[in-house]
Amino acid sequence: MNAQSSFSKHGKKGFTLIEVIVTLLIAAILGTFLVTFMGTAVTKSVEPVSRSKQLYELQQVMENIKSTYLTMADATNALTRLNAFITGSPGSSSYTIVTKSISFNQDASGNYTESSNVCSGLGSSGSNCVLKVTVSSNVTPGLSVTEVFTQRP
């Protein structure tokens, strides 16, 4: 009797092979679910950071254009000079700068819309033409910054 009681105590210490296999099987199933649901979230988590960095770069380019405009804003041909500066500047592979001479039309309700006609009087006195500058990302499609510059009187 004494030998049986020591044998039964020894058998209750530790795990059986079945318990270990079931535990590993449950852990593998849970791991599969975790990878399935979290895998794409982890790999795509860098996209917002990359988009923010690209937007910051576009805003920096636009700030440089604005500061250049402020140095020449009092000239009578400031918009023409700014347009020449932008089109003559070396480009970059990460962004594209597009300039366009535009004017605005006012509808019956008082809202302004961009005219579809090309404005030919850019920089001339008394003209209602403005220079629209758009800096677009070549890295992130659809990401752009637009600014409208007017001629000072």
Side-chain angles (χ1 to χ4, degrees):
M1 177 117 173
N2 209 2
Q4 262 185 341
S5 65
S6 69
F7 178 71
S8 62
K9 284 182 184 178
H10 180 54
K12 291 185 180 181
K13 292 181 182 179
F15 301 105
T16 65
L17 183 60
I18 297 294
E19 290 173 332
V20 172
I21 291 173
V22 169
T23 303
L24 289 175
L25 185 64
I26 291 172
I29 291 171
L30 290 176
T32 302
F33 283 131
L34 182 67
V35 168
T36 302
F37 290 118
M38 296 299 290
T40 57
V42 171
T43 57
K44 295 197 181 249
S45 66
V46 76
E47 288 179 9
V49 174
S50 174
R51 190 172 175 87
S52 295
K53 284 177 65 176
Q54 187 65 29
L55 181 60
Y56 178 74
E57 181 182 353
L58 297 180
Q59 288 173 337
Q60 284 297 109
V61 171
M62 187 59 76
E63 286 297 320
N64 290 340
I65 292 171
K66 285 197 265 188
S67 68
T68 301
Y69 173 70
L70 287 176
T71 63
M72 59 179 75
D74 292 329
T76 56
N77 61 348
L79 293 181
T80 307
R81 289 175 54 197
L82 180 64
N83 191 24
F85 169 77
I86 293 169
T87 55
S89 296
S92 172
S93 62
S94 62
Y95 61 85
T96 304
I97 303 175
V98 177
T99 62
K100 182 179 178 185
S101 299
I102 61 169
S103 62
F104 291 98
N105 296 328
Q106 187 175 14
D107 61 13
S109 61
N111 296 324
Y112 287 92
T113 57
E114 184 179 326
S115 173
S116 60
N117 300 332
V118 176
C119 191
S120 59
L122 182 65
S124 60
S125 62
S127 171
N128 65 346
C129 293
V130 295
L131 183 64
K132 178 181 174 183
V133 179
T134 303
V135 182
S136 303
S137 173
N138 295 339
V139 177
T140 309
L143 191 63
S144 65
V145 177
T146 300
E147 190 80 29
V148 177
F149 296 91
T150 60
Q151 181 69 46
R152 287 189 180 173

PDB file of all heavy atoms in Angstrom, residues 110-148:
ATOM      1  N   GLY A 110     -23.550  84.300 -55.516  1.00  0.00           N
ATOM      2  CA  GLY A 110     -22.380  84.941 -54.928  1.00  0.00           C
ATOM      3  C   GLY A 110     -21.179  84.042 -54.746  1.00  0.00           C
ATOM      4  O   GLY A 110     -20.174  84.460 -54.187  1.00  0.00           O
ATOM      5  N   ASN A 111     -21.241  82.811 -55.210  1.00  0.00           N
ATOM      6  CA  ASN A 111     -20.113  81.892 -55.106  1.00  0.00           C
ATOM      7  C   ASN A 111     -19.168  82.083 -56.288  1.00  0.00           C
ATOM      8  O   ASN A 111     -19.602  82.356 -57.395  1.00  0.00           O
ATOM      9  CB  ASN A 111     -20.606  80.444 -55.079  1.00  0.00           C
ATOM     10  CG  ASN A 111     -21.443  80.149 -53.860  1.00  0.00           C
ATOM     11  OD1 ASN A 111     -21.183  80.654 -52.782  1.00  0.00           O
ATOM     12  ND2 ASN A 111     -22.462  79.329 -54.042  1.00  0.00           N
ATOM     13  N   TYR A 112     -17.884  81.922 -56.007  1.00  0.00           N
ATOM     14  CA  TYR A 112     -16.874  82.055 -57.054  1.00  0.00           C
ATOM     15  C   TYR A 112     -16.444  80.678 -57.542  1.00  0.00           C
ATOM     16  O   TYR A 112     -16.235  79.771 -56.748  1.00  0.00           O
ATOM     17  CB  TYR A 112     -15.653  82.822 -56.532  1.00  0.00           C
ATOM     18  CG  TYR A 112     -15.910  84.293 -56.361  1.00  0.00           C
ATOM     19  CD1 TYR A 112     -16.345  84.809 -55.140  1.00  0.00           C
ATOM     20  CD2 TYR A 112     -15.726  85.173 -57.410  1.00  0.00           C
ATOM     21  CE1 TYR A 112     -16.581  86.159 -54.981  1.00  0.00           C
ATOM     22  CE2 TYR A 112     -15.955  86.526 -57.264  1.00  0.00           C
ATOM     23  CZ  TYR A 112     -16.389  87.014 -56.045  1.00  0.00           C
ATOM     24  OH  TYR A 112     -16.623  88.354 -55.897  1.00  0.00           O
ATOM     25  N   THR A 113     -16.288  80.552 -58.841  1.00  0.00           N
ATOM     26  CA  THR A 113     -15.780  79.326 -59.443  1.00  0.00           C
ATOM     27  C   THR A 113     -14.656  79.681 -60.400  1.00  0.00           C
ATOM     28  O   THR A 113     -14.610  80.790 -60.946  1.00  0.00           O
ATOM     29  CB  THR A 113     -16.881  78.562 -60.214  1.00  0.00           C
ATOM     30  OG1 THR A 113     -17.434  79.424 -61.198  1.00  0.00           O
ATOM     31  CG2 THR A 113     -17.973  78.086 -59.274  1.00  0.00           C
ATOM     32  N   GLU A 114     -13.770  78.741 -60.591  1.00  0.00           N
ATOM     33  CA  GLU A 114     -12.649  78.964 -61.503  1.00  0.00           C
ATOM     34  C   GLU A 114     -13.167  79.011 -62.931  1.00  0.00           C
ATOM     35  O   GLU A 114     -13.927  78.161 -63.368  1.00  0.00           O
ATOM     36  CB  GLU A 114     -11.642  77.830 -61.339  1.00  0.00           C
ATOM     37  CG  GLU A 114     -10.389  78.002 -62.161  1.00  0.00           C
ATOM     38  CD  GLU A 114      -9.406  76.872 -61.942  1.00  0.00           C
ATOM     39  OE1 GLU A 114      -9.316  76.345 -60.829  1.00  0.00           O
ATOM     40  OE2 GLU A 114      -8.721  76.519 -62.923  1.00  0.00           O
ATOM     41  N   SER A 115     -12.739  80.015 -63.667  1.00  0.00           N
ATOM     42  CA  SER A 115     -13.155  80.166 -65.062  1.00  0.00           C
ATOM     43  C   SER A 115     -12.461  79.107 -65.917  1.00  0.00           C
ATOM     44  O   SER A 115     -11.299  78.762 -65.684  1.00  0.00           O
ATOM     45  CB  SER A 115     -12.792  81.560 -65.567  1.00  0.00           C
ATOM     46  OG  SER A 115     -13.040  81.670 -66.950  1.00  0.00           O
ATOM     47  N   SER A 116     -13.180  78.620 -66.904  1.00  0.00           N
ATOM     48  CA  SER A 116     -12.586  77.622 -67.797  1.00  0.00           C
ATOM     49  C   SER A 116     -11.729  78.283 -68.875  1.00  0.00           C
ATOM     50  O   SER A 116     -10.958  77.617 -69.551  1.00  0.00           O
ATOM     51  CB  SER A 116     -13.684  76.775 -68.442  1.00  0.00           C
ATOM     52  OG  SER A 116     -14.554  77.610 -69.178  1.00  0.00           O
ATOM     53  N   ASN A 117     -11.843  79.584 -69.042  1.00  0.00           N
ATOM     54  CA  ASN A 117     -11.048  80.304 -70.042  1.00  0.00           C
ATOM     55  C   ASN A 117      -9.635  80.540 -69.523  1.00  0.00           C
ATOM     56  O   ASN A 117      -9.424  80.751 -68.332  1.00  0.00           O
ATOM     57  CB  ASN A 117     -11.697  81.655 -70.373  1.00  0.00           C
ATOM     58  CG  ASN A 117     -13.095  81.491 -70.927  1.00  0.00           C
ATOM     59  OD1 ASN A 117     -13.413  80.481 -71.537  1.00  0.00           O
ATOM     60  ND2 ASN A 117     -13.934  82.487 -70.696  1.00  0.00           N
ATOM     61  N   VAL A 118      -8.677  80.534 -70.434  1.00  0.00           N
ATOM     62  CA  VAL A 118      -7.296  80.833 -70.068  1.00  0.00           C
ATOM     63  C   VAL A 118      -7.168  82.333 -69.884  1.00  0.00           C
ATOM     64  O   VAL A 118      -7.615  83.109 -70.717  1.00  0.00           O
ATOM     65  CB  VAL A 118      -6.315  80.332 -71.152  1.00  0.00           C
ATOM     66  CG1 VAL A 118      -4.899  80.736 -70.812  1.00  0.00           C
ATOM     67  CG2 VAL A 118      -6.429  78.829 -71.311  1.00  0.00           C
ATOM     68  N   CYS A 119      -6.585  82.734 -68.779  1.00  0.00           N
ATOM     69  CA  CYS A 119      -6.421  84.150 -68.472  1.00  0.00           C
ATOM     70  C   CYS A 119      -5.083  84.608 -69.058  1.00  0.00           C
ATOM     71  O   CYS A 119      -4.027  84.111 -68.677  1.00  0.00           O
ATOM     72  CB  CYS A 119      -6.464  84.351 -66.964  1.00  0.00           C
ATOM     73  SG  CYS A 119      -6.587  86.063 -66.473  1.00  0.00           S
ATOM     74  N   SER A 120      -5.139  85.561 -69.981  1.00  0.00           N
ATOM     75  CA  SER A 120      -3.908  85.956 -70.680  1.00  0.00           C
ATOM     76  C   SER A 120      -3.256  87.201 -70.101  1.00  0.00           C
ATOM     77  O   SER A 120      -2.153  87.549 -70.490  1.00  0.00           O
ATOM     78  CB  SER A 120      -4.210  86.183 -72.164  1.00  0.00           C
ATOM     79  OG  SER A 120      -5.202  87.199 -72.287  1.00  0.00           O
ATOM     80  N   GLY A 121      -3.887  87.868 -69.158  1.00  0.00           N
ATOM     81  CA  GLY A 121      -3.327  89.113 -68.633  1.00  0.00           C
ATOM     82  C   GLY A 121      -2.584  88.957 -67.339  1.00  0.00           C
ATOM     83  O   GLY A 121      -2.646  89.840 -66.482  1.00  0.00           O
ATOM     84  N   LEU A 122      -1.877  87.858 -67.151  1.00  0.00           N
ATOM     85  CA  LEU A 122      -1.180  87.601 -65.892  1.00  0.00           C
ATOM     86  C   LEU A 122      -0.149  88.687 -65.621  1.00  0.00           C
ATOM     87  O   LEU A 122       0.707  88.970 -66.456  1.00  0.00           O
ATOM     88  CB  LEU A 122      -0.485  86.236 -65.937  1.00  0.00           C
ATOM     89  CG  LEU A 122       0.252  85.814 -64.666  1.00  0.00           C
ATOM     90  CD1 LEU A 122      -0.735  85.616 -63.540  1.00  0.00           C
ATOM     91  CD2 LEU A 122       1.053  84.554 -64.905  1.00  0.00           C
ATOM     92  N   GLY A 123      -0.260  89.302 -64.471  1.00  0.00           N
ATOM     93  CA  GLY A 123       0.716  90.300 -64.053  1.00  0.00           C
ATOM     94  C   GLY A 123       0.465  91.692 -64.568  1.00  0.00           C
ATOM     95  O   GLY A 123       1.123  92.636 -64.144  1.00  0.00           O
ATOM     96  N   SER A 124      -0.483  91.898 -65.482  1.00  0.00           N
ATOM     97  CA  SER A 124      -0.745  93.247 -65.981  1.00  0.00           C
ATOM     98  C   SER A 124      -1.662  93.977 -65.008  1.00  0.00           C
ATOM     99  O   SER A 124      -2.492  93.385 -64.329  1.00  0.00           O
ATOM    100  CB  SER A 124      -1.378  93.179 -67.375  1.00  0.00           C
ATOM    101  OG  SER A 124      -2.594  92.482 -67.328  1.00  0.00           O
ATOM    102  N   SER A 125      -1.512  95.296 -64.943  1.00  0.00           N
ATOM    103  CA  SER A 125      -2.302  96.077 -63.992  1.00  0.00           C
ATOM    104  C   SER A 125      -3.770  96.084 -64.419  1.00  0.00           C
ATOM    105  O   SER A 125      -4.090  96.139 -65.606  1.00  0.00           O
ATOM    106  CB  SER A 125      -1.760  97.512 -63.907  1.00  0.00           C
ATOM    107  OG  SER A 125      -1.865  98.131 -65.168  1.00  0.00           O
ATOM    108  N   GLY A 126      -4.663  96.003 -63.450  1.00  0.00           N
ATOM    109  CA  GLY A 126      -6.090  95.993 -63.720  1.00  0.00           C
ATOM    110  C   GLY A 126      -6.626  94.633 -64.137  1.00  0.00           C
ATOM    111  O   GLY A 126      -7.827  94.471 -64.323  1.00  0.00           O
ATOM    112  N   SER A 127      -5.788  93.649 -64.280  1.00  0.00           N
ATOM    113  CA  SER A 127      -6.227  92.316 -64.683  1.00  0.00           C
ATOM    114  C   SER A 127      -6.739  91.562 -63.458  1.00  0.00           C
ATOM    115  O   SER A 127      -6.257  91.746 -62.352  1.00  0.00           O
ATOM    116  CB  SER A 127      -5.059  91.554 -65.306  1.00  0.00           C
ATOM    117  OG  SER A 127      -5.401  90.215 -65.503  1.00  0.00           O
ATOM    118  N   ASN A 128      -7.735  90.730 -63.659  1.00  0.00           N
ATOM    119  CA  ASN A 128      -8.228  89.917 -62.539  1.00  0.00           C
ATOM    120  C   ASN A 128      -7.647  88.500 -62.589  1.00  0.00           C
ATOM    121  O   ASN A 128      -8.189  87.593 -61.992  1.00  0.00           O
ATOM    122  CB  ASN A 128      -9.753  89.877 -62.527  1.00  0.00           C
ATOM    123  CG  ASN A 128     -10.321  89.182 -63.754  1.00  0.00           C
ATOM    124  OD1 ASN A 128      -9.628  88.956 -64.733  1.00  0.00           O
ATOM    125  ND2 ASN A 128     -11.595  88.856 -63.686  1.00  0.00           N
ATOM    126  N   CYS A 129      -6.543  88.338 -63.287  1.00  0.00           N
ATOM    127  CA  CYS A 129      -5.880  87.037 -63.375  1.00  0.00           C
ATOM    128  C   CYS A 129      -5.084  86.770 -62.100  1.00  0.00           C
ATOM    129  O   CYS A 129      -4.493  87.671 -61.514  1.00  0.00           O
ATOM    130  CB  CYS A 129      -4.926  86.994 -64.564  1.00  0.00           C
ATOM    131  SG  CYS A 129      -5.737  87.064 -66.149  1.00  0.00           S
ATOM    132  N   VAL A 130      -5.074  85.523 -61.699  1.00  0.00           N
ATOM    133  CA  VAL A 130      -4.269  85.080 -60.570  1.00  0.00           C
ATOM    134  C   VAL A 130      -3.442  83.880 -61.022  1.00  0.00           C
ATOM    135  O   VAL A 130      -3.731  83.265 -62.043  1.00  0.00           O
ATOM    136  CB  VAL A 130      -5.146  84.716 -59.350  1.00  0.00           C
ATOM    137  CG1 VAL A 130      -5.869  85.934 -58.820  1.00  0.00           C
ATOM    138  CG2 VAL A 130      -6.125  83.623 -59.677  1.00  0.00           C
ATOM    139  N   LEU A 131      -2.433  83.567 -60.244  1.00  0.00           N
ATOM    140  CA  LEU A 131      -1.573  82.426 -60.556  1.00  0.00           C
ATOM    141  C   LEU A 131      -1.888  81.298 -59.577  1.00  0.00           C
ATOM    142  O   LEU A 131      -1.755  81.448 -58.367  1.00  0.00           O
ATOM    143  CB  LEU A 131      -0.096  82.818 -60.448  1.00  0.00           C
ATOM    144  CG  LEU A 131       0.909  81.745 -60.827  1.00  0.00           C
ATOM    145  CD1 LEU A 131       0.779  81.382 -62.303  1.00  0.00           C
ATOM    146  CD2 LEU A 131       2.322  82.211 -60.524  1.00  0.00           C
ATOM    147  N   LYS A 132      -2.345  80.186 -60.124  1.00  0.00           N
ATOM    148  CA  LYS A 132      -2.649  78.999 -59.321  1.00  0.00           C
ATOM    149  C   LYS A 132      -1.451  78.060 -59.407  1.00  0.00           C
ATOM    150  O   LYS A 132      -1.059  77.648 -60.493  1.00  0.00           O
ATOM    151  CB  LYS A 132      -3.904  78.323 -59.863  1.00  0.00           C
ATOM    152  CG  LYS A 132      -4.299  77.057 -59.141  1.00  0.00           C
ATOM    153  CD  LYS A 132      -5.540  76.457 -59.792  1.00  0.00           C
ATOM    154  CE  LYS A 132      -5.904  75.125 -59.230  1.00  0.00           C
ATOM    155  NZ  LYS A 132      -7.068  74.535 -59.932  1.00  0.00           N
ATOM    156  N   VAL A 133      -0.888  77.722 -58.251  1.00  0.00           N
ATOM    157  CA  VAL A 133       0.286  76.857 -58.184  1.00  0.00           C
ATOM    158  C   VAL A 133      -0.108  75.590 -57.430  1.00  0.00           C
ATOM    159  O   VAL A 133      -0.609  75.664 -56.311  1.00  0.00           O
ATOM    160  CB  VAL A 133       1.459  77.562 -57.469  1.00  0.00           C
ATOM    161  CG1 VAL A 133       2.669  76.639 -57.389  1.00  0.00           C
ATOM    162  CG2 VAL A 133       1.817  78.852 -58.167  1.00  0.00           C
ATOM    163  N   THR A 134       0.108  74.445 -58.057  1.00  0.00           N
ATOM    164  CA  THR A 134      -0.199  73.161 -57.442  1.00  0.00           C
ATOM    165  C   THR A 134       1.070  72.321 -57.389  1.00  0.00           C
ATOM    166  O   THR A 134       1.719  72.114 -58.418  1.00  0.00           O
ATOM    167  CB  THR A 134      -1.288  72.415 -58.233  1.00  0.00           C
ATOM    168  OG1 THR A 134      -2.445  73.242 -58.321  1.00  0.00           O
ATOM    169  CG2 THR A 134      -1.653  71.099 -57.566  1.00  0.00           C
ATOM    170  N   VAL A 135       1.394  71.857 -56.196  1.00  0.00           N
ATOM    171  CA  VAL A 135       2.529  70.963 -56.003  1.00  0.00           C
ATOM    172  C   VAL A 135       1.935  69.584 -55.719  1.00  0.00           C
ATOM    173  O   VAL A 135       1.236  69.393 -54.724  1.00  0.00           O
ATOM    174  CB  VAL A 135       3.419  71.416 -54.825  1.00  0.00           C
ATOM    175  CG1 VAL A 135       4.617  70.498 -54.684  1.00  0.00           C
ATOM    176  CG2 VAL A 135       3.864  72.849 -55.006  1.00  0.00           C
ATOM    177  N   SER A 136       2.193  68.635 -56.625  1.00  0.00           N
ATOM    178  CA  SER A 136       1.614  67.287 -56.516  1.00  0.00           C
ATOM    179  C   SER A 136       2.707  66.265 -56.244  1.00  0.00           C
ATOM    180  O   SER A 136       3.816  66.374 -56.758  1.00  0.00           O
ATOM    181  CB  SER A 136       0.896  66.906 -57.808  1.00  0.00           C
ATOM    182  OG  SER A 136      -0.101  67.835 -58.116  1.00  0.00           O
ATOM    183  N   SER A 137       2.351  65.263 -55.483  1.00  0.00           N
ATOM    184  CA  SER A 137       3.288  64.199 -55.135  1.00  0.00           C
ATOM    185  C   SER A 137       3.382  63.179 -56.260  1.00  0.00           C
ATOM    186  O   SER A 137       2.376  62.768 -56.822  1.00  0.00           O
ATOM    187  CB  SER A 137       2.829  63.505 -53.854  1.00  0.00           C
ATOM    188  OG  SER A 137       3.627  62.383 -53.597  1.00  0.00           O
ATOM    189  N   ASN A 138       4.598  62.786 -56.588  1.00  0.00           N
ATOM    190  CA  ASN A 138       4.815  61.685 -57.530  1.00  0.00           C
ATOM    191  C   ASN A 138       4.914  60.350 -56.799  1.00  0.00           C
ATOM    192  O   ASN A 138       4.858  59.297 -57.428  1.00  0.00           O
ATOM    193  CB  ASN A 138       6.100  61.910 -58.331  1.00  0.00           C
ATOM    194  CG  ASN A 138       6.007  63.126 -59.217  1.00  0.00           C
ATOM    195  OD1 ASN A 138       4.923  63.592 -59.545  1.00  0.00           O
ATOM    196  ND2 ASN A 138       7.151  63.667 -59.586  1.00  0.00           N
ATOM    197  N   VAL A 139       5.039  60.398 -55.475  1.00  0.00           N
ATOM    198  CA  VAL A 139       5.191  59.193 -54.672  1.00  0.00           C
ATOM    199  C   VAL A 139       3.826  58.696 -54.188  1.00  0.00           C
ATOM    200  O   VAL A 139       3.535  57.506 -54.261  1.00  0.00           O
ATOM    201  CB  VAL A 139       6.118  59.458 -53.457  1.00  0.00           C
ATOM    202  CG1 VAL A 139       6.231  58.241 -52.574  1.00  0.00           C
ATOM    203  CG2 VAL A 139       7.480  59.930 -53.923  1.00  0.00           C
ATOM    204  N   THR A 140       2.994  59.620 -53.695  1.00  0.00           N
ATOM    205  CA  THR A 140       1.672  59.283 -53.162  1.00  0.00           C
ATOM    206  C   THR A 140       0.617  59.860 -54.087  1.00  0.00           C
ATOM    207  O   THR A 140       0.407  61.068 -54.098  1.00  0.00           O
ATOM    208  CB  THR A 140       1.489  59.848 -51.741  1.00  0.00           C
ATOM    209  OG1 THR A 140       2.609  59.468 -50.939  1.00  0.00           O
ATOM    210  CG2 THR A 140       0.212  59.357 -51.119  1.00  0.00           C
ATOM    211  N   PRO A 141      -0.065  59.056 -54.878  1.00  0.00           N
ATOM    212  CA  PRO A 141      -1.065  59.564 -55.811  1.00  0.00           C
ATOM    213  C   PRO A 141      -2.204  60.288 -55.087  1.00  0.00           C
ATOM    214  O   PRO A 141      -2.658  59.865 -54.034  1.00  0.00           O
ATOM    215  CB  PRO A 141      -1.599  58.310 -56.512  1.00  0.00           C
ATOM    216  CG  PRO A 141      -0.601  57.246 -56.236  1.00  0.00           C
ATOM    217  CD  PRO A 141       0.069  57.604 -54.958  1.00  0.00           C
ATOM    218  N   GLY A 142      -2.628  61.413 -55.664  1.00  0.00           N
ATOM    219  CA  GLY A 142      -3.745  62.164 -55.106  1.00  0.00           C
ATOM    220  C   GLY A 142      -3.365  63.159 -54.034  1.00  0.00           C
ATOM    221  O   GLY A 142      -4.211  63.894 -53.545  1.00  0.00           O
ATOM    222  N   LEU A 143      -2.118  63.220 -53.643  1.00  0.00           N
ATOM    223  CA  LEU A 143      -1.677  64.134 -52.596  1.00  0.00           C
ATOM    224  C   LEU A 143      -1.118  65.389 -53.247  1.00  0.00           C
ATOM    225  O   LEU A 143      -0.182  65.313 -54.045  1.00  0.00           O
ATOM    226  CB  LEU A 143      -0.611  63.456 -51.735  1.00  0.00           C
ATOM    227  CG  LEU A 143      -0.223  64.145 -50.439  1.00  0.00           C
ATOM    228  CD1 LEU A 143      -1.419  64.210 -49.500  1.00  0.00           C
ATOM    229  CD2 LEU A 143       0.905  63.392 -49.770  1.00  0.00           C
ATOM    230  N   SER A 144      -1.711  66.563 -52.948  1.00  0.00           N
ATOM    231  CA  SER A 144      -1.239  67.810 -53.541  1.00  0.00           C
ATOM    232  C   SER A 144      -1.540  68.981 -52.622  1.00  0.00           C
ATOM    233  O   SER A 144      -2.395  68.902 -51.741  1.00  0.00           O
ATOM    234  CB  SER A 144      -1.883  68.038 -54.912  1.00  0.00           C
ATOM    235  OG  SER A 144      -3.271  68.231 -54.765  1.00  0.00           O
ATOM    236  N   VAL A 145      -0.828  70.086 -52.861  1.00  0.00           N
ATOM    237  CA  VAL A 145      -1.020  71.344 -52.139  1.00  0.00           C
ATOM    238  C   VAL A 145      -1.192  72.418 -53.198  1.00  0.00           C
ATOM    239  O   VAL A 145      -0.406  72.490 -54.148  1.00  0.00           O
ATOM    240  CB  VAL A 145       0.193  71.665 -51.242  1.00  0.00           C
ATOM    241  CG1 VAL A 145       0.036  72.999 -50.550  1.00  0.00           C
ATOM    242  CG2 VAL A 145       0.428  70.566 -50.232  1.00  0.00           C
ATOM    243  N   THR A 146      -2.243  73.246 -53.055  1.00  0.00           N
ATOM    244  CA  THR A 146      -2.519  74.291 -54.035  1.00  0.00           C
ATOM    245  C   THR A 146      -2.577  75.646 -53.345  1.00  0.00           C
ATOM    246  O   THR A 146      -3.120  75.768 -52.248  1.00  0.00           O
ATOM    247  CB  THR A 146      -3.861  74.014 -54.739  1.00  0.00           C
ATOM    248  OG1 THR A 146      -3.787  72.747 -55.388  1.00  0.00           O
ATOM    249  CG2 THR A 146      -4.172  75.078 -55.780  1.00  0.00           C
ATOM    250  N   GLU A 147      -2.050  76.649 -54.009  1.00  0.00           N
ATOM    251  CA  GLU A 147      -2.049  78.021 -53.492  1.00  0.00           C
ATOM    252  C   GLU A 147      -2.368  78.944 -54.665  1.00  0.00           C
ATOM    253  O   GLU A 147      -1.976  78.679 -55.808  1.00  0.00           O
ATOM    254  CB  GLU A 147      -0.674  78.352 -52.913  1.00  0.00           C
ATOM    255  CG  GLU A 147      -0.605  79.625 -52.137  1.00  0.00           C
ATOM    256  CD  GLU A 147      -1.142  79.486 -50.716  1.00  0.00           C
ATOM    257  OE1 GLU A 147      -1.059  78.394 -50.136  1.00  0.00           O
ATOM    258  OE2 GLU A 147      -1.649  80.499 -50.207  1.00  0.00           O
ATOM    259  N   VAL A 148      -3.079  80.035 -54.364  1.00  0.00           N
ATOM    260  CA  VAL A 148      -3.417  81.022 -55.377  1.00  0.00           C
ATOM    261  C   VAL A 148      -2.708  82.324 -55.026  1.00  0.00           C
ATOM    262  O   VAL A 148      -2.843  82.821 -53.908  1.00  0.00           O
ATOM    263  CB  VAL A 148      -4.948  81.229 -55.454  1.00  0.00           C
ATOM    264  CG1 VAL A 148      -5.300  82.318 -56.456  1.00  0.00           C
ATOM    265  CG2 VAL A 148      -5.647  79.939 -55.819  1.00  0.00           C
TER     266      VAL A 148
END
